[in-house]
Amino acid sequence: VYNATPTWGVTVGDALGVAEPELSQHLHQHQGQTFSFLGLRVSSPLSLVVNGRRPPGSALAPPRLALSNPSAPPPPQ
């Protein structure tokens, strides 16, 4: 589950309700083999219903900002 903390998740046998899912077909080729599968995405783990309950707020991973500038000179050593 994207954007979920590592300490939260669902297990085999859980009943899962998905509100407003985005279904997409993935098609990848690697070393002469073709892999095709469906992907199901939701905006947040908090939009799920697991075993009749919404996940706690602590299930959502905090935002993380990563910046890069490929044209910047390397930092001094």
Side-chain angles (χ1 to χ4, degrees):
V1 176
Y2 293 105
N3 297 324
T5 60
T7 58
W8 180 87
V10 294
T11 58
V12 174
D14 283 346
L16 185 64
V18 182
E20 300 181 25
E22 292 180 29
L23 185 66
S24 58
Q25 175 74 41
H26 297 268
L27 182 63
H28 301 279
Q29 294 183 342
H30 179 69
Q31 296 181 347
Q33 292 185 325
T34 300
F35 301 92
S36 176
F37 58 93
L38 294 174
L40 184 66
R41 190 164 194 146
V42 294
S43 59
S44 164
L46 301 181
S47 66
L48 299 172
V49 177
V50 182
N51 298 324
R53 304 176 116 173
R54 294 262 183 207
S58 60
L60 183 62
R64 191 173 57 172
L65 178 64
L67 301 174
S68 67
N69 184 353
S71 62
Q77 297 283 332

